[in-house]
Amino acid sequence: MEQKSIIIAGAGIAGLSAGCYGQMNGYRTQIFERHDKPGGLCTSWKRKGYTIDGCLHWLVGSGPGANFHRIWEELGAVQGRPMIDHEEFLRVEGKGGKVFIVYSDIDRLEQHMKELAPQDAQVIEELTRAARTCAKYDLPVDKAPELYGALDGTWLLIRMLPFLKVMSRWKKISVQEYATRFGDPFLREALPRVSGLPDFPMAGLLMILAWMDRKSAGYPLGGSLEFSRSIERRYLDLGGTIHYRVPVAQVMVERDKAVGVRLADGTEHRSDITISAADGHATIFDMLGGRYINRRIRGYYDNLPIFPPLIHVALGVHRSFEKMPATVIYSLDEPVTIGGREQDHFGVEIGNFDPTLAPPGKTVLKVMFTADYAYWKNLWQDPERYQAEKESIADHVVSLLEQRYPGLAGQVEMRDVATPMTWERYTGNWQGSMEGWLISKKTLPPFRMSRTLPGLQSFYLAGQWVEPGGGVPPAAMSGRNVMQIICKRDHRPFVTKTP
Ligand SMILES: Cc1cc2nc3c(=O)[nH]c(=O)nc-3n(C[C@H](O)[C@H](O)[C@H](O)COP(=O)(O)OP(=O)(O)OC[C@H]3O[C@@H](n4cnc5c(N)ncnc54)[C@H](O)[C@@H]3O)c2cc1C
């Protein structure tokens, strides 16, 4: 059979996944990546003997029972990799010292919430009942939604009806709105802290609780870059080629057909099919000059909210933080201004559950705040002010943590501050977004984005900018789905292999 060539822009999880499935299906693929390593947002970096993990807190499909686990196996990402299932997803500490623990086990969560707020038993039971229903179902991942026939749709409806009913009811209400149903003022304040995002739908929170309960959203030991590297290895083992430090500047088009890419260094590389797994905005408006777009796609970029970019502060601390949970969110008595934004709480991730991240007896702590892209873009023009702001934020975070963990200030050995500009520079993501389109009432299924552009042949989009809600699993699935669609158009059976 003729071996078609595919060029993929971007070696994030979506690009690597598209490459792996392309190789499995007999295509000759090569990936062009602007950075010097794989993974894109799914990455980690080293400072002074500490490893700062910039991504995975939880990985859907981590447990062997989950549908998604099969995809991770096909991509060689989970074999031999221990997963850590935290007993607590996170805990929220209120102003008066009250603590709301989001236990991974739904029964335990229900019991704990009832102890905190016996008067809210009915609301709590309604919430945990819905989460238990979700935990009985797993999202189908085998087939790209575009390839669903009428029978698939009916079968899905019959098989997943109770789940779909829960989703359609709970997607209409945000976590903030739902929290007002609690009579207990602490739970009213604490529940929205769990999602931490405006307009985050309850359906999303239920899914998180369900995945945690099923032990299907664990943390992969070794962290994000190691995880990405395992998929890079799988791709290379399958015969793929990756070129690093080569930004794609343009998708070359002849008679409305993509014919390859032109790199920033001016070299041209031709292919039968081109996939962009790089940032969506840059692909559509820069690499393709905005020529292949319609009102719907423009509307996404004009109207849909995105996951806000982050200020990400990491500290290497000579302290073990024994018996501390993985994530604690603290409410502040007085709001503080960080990076031009008022913050009334902050969360700290305590990375001592992964011994590969720090030397024995030491721990990486991470504190993240949502940030204002325009503020950082402006500051970036002035390197001195930019640097000073980063230092001042690190000072601020150390002093906030010192209040919770006395003595910490003297134990800090490493400070690292990443800003929206860090993500923009290293991954090219639009406005430094951490995860693409925000999951919201508007963007939950059946809402779906097209993986092709109007009027452009032989071209596909993959990754978080065509999978609202983003995340590492949707990125991987997106690469797989695109290859399924390509195989279907080429009248080839889609095959997968597990190493
Ligand atoms: C702090 C943080 C925490 C997160 N936590 C989680 C979590 O716990 N669980 C989870 O599932 N998800 C998490 N995410 C989200 C997840 O990392 C992303 O949704 C996912 O990795 C996106 O993958 P992608 O391949 O679609 O895009 P990207 O990772 O953005 O990959 C795009 C790739 O394209 C490259 N590129 C861009 N432009 C060009 C160009 N012009 N030429 C060549 N290459 C180019 C980039 O360098 C990059 O490698 C987190 C993200 C962040 C930032």
Side-chain angles (χ1 to χ4, degrees), residues 188-486:
R188 265 208 309 270
E189 175 198 318
L191 194 75
R193 300 262 196 266
V194 178
S195 78
L197 292 164
D199 205 27
F200 191 82
M202 278 300 291
L205 182 61
L206 292 177
M207 288 305 299
I208 294 173
L209 298 179
W211 284 320
M212 292 289 158
D213 185 71
R214 290 171 51 125
K215 296 200 185 319
S216 179
Y219 165 83
L221 205 76
S224 302
L225 183 58
E226 281 308 306
F227 183 80
S228 297
R229 284 219 188 275
S230 61
I231 306 179
E232 178 202 42
R233 269 195 300 278
R234 172 80 174 125
Y235 175 62
L236 296 175
D237 288 347
L238 284 162
T241 307
I242 311 188
H243 312 269
Y244 285 111
R245 296 179 194 271
V246 280
V248 171
Q250 267 183 323
V251 174
M252 296 192 298
V253 177
E254 290 172 4
R255 288 192 290 280
D256 293 329
K257 181 175 184 300
V259 294
V261 293
R262 184 172 297 112
L263 304 181
D265 64 12
T267 55
E268 294 185 353
H269 302 263
R270 296 184 76 86
S271 57
D272 298 306
I273 296 165
T274 307
I275 300 173
S276 177
D279 172 67
H281 188 276
T283 302
I284 294 169
F285 296 99
D286 302 335
M287 293 182 205
L288 284 160
R291 290 188 305 281
Y292 297 95
I293 190 165
N294 53 21
R295 276 180 50 201
R296 198 148 65 102
I297 296 171
R298 178 159 303 275
Y300 299 156
Y301 285 91
D302 287 345
N303 302 317
L304 287 185
I306 61 172
F307 273 95
L310 299 173
I311 302 167
H312 181 282
V313 183
L315 302 175
V317 186
H318 195 146
R319 182 165 174 163
S320 57
F321 292 92
E322 268 160 51
K323 298 204 173 79
M324 284 301 294
T327 305
V328 189
I329 297 172
Y330 294 106
S331 302
L332 292 166
D333 291 335
E334 291 299 327
V336 293
T337 302
I338 305 268
R341 269 196 181 181
E342 200 168 89
Q343 314 278 353
D344 60 0
H345 67 283
F346 73 99
V348 55
E349 273 183 42
I350 303 167
N352 58 359
F353 49 84
D354 185 345
T356 70
L357 301 182
K362 302 184 180 186
T363 309
V364 178
L365 302 186
K366 290 196 322 182
V367 174
M368 288 179 266
F369 301 98
T370 56
D372 178 8
Y373 173 75
Y375 175 89
W376 286 97
K377 183 85 183 166
N378 181 35
L379 212 56
W380 174 247
Q381 318 299 328
D382 181 341
E384 256 177 52
R385 273 183 58 223
Y386 177 75
Q387 197 50 41
E389 180 73 347
K390 286 184 20 168
E391 291 301 326
S392 139
I393 288 174
D395 290 344
H396 217 130
V397 166
V398 170
S399 86
L400 287 174
L401 288 171
E402 173 69 27
Q403 290 164 32
R404 307 286 167 173
Y405 308 100
L408 175 137
Q411 297 163 333
V412 175
E413 298 181 333
M414 179 277 298
R415 301 164 21 138
D416 178 88
V417 180
T419 75
M421 300 315 293
T422 315
W423 272 284
E424 188 180 68
R425 279 187 304 129
Y426 285 104
T427 68
N429 272 290
W430 188 46
Q431 305 202 350
S433 174
M434 64 163 289
E435 209 165 314
W437 305 111
L438 190 63
I439 187 159
S440 71
K441 291 183 219 170
K442 277 190 202 157
T443 56
L444 272 173
F447 177 85
R448 206 169 70 211
M449 285 181 171
S450 172
R451 296 172 222 275
T452 55
L453 292 176
L456 183 59
Q457 303 299 309
S458 304
F459 179 79
Y460 299 85
L461 295 159
Q464 62 178 11
W465 294 99
V466 283
E467 302 288 347
V472 169
M477 193 161 67
S478 156
R480 191 181 193 266
N481 286 350
V482 158
M483 279 315 308
Q484 270 189 325
I485 295 167
I486 292 172

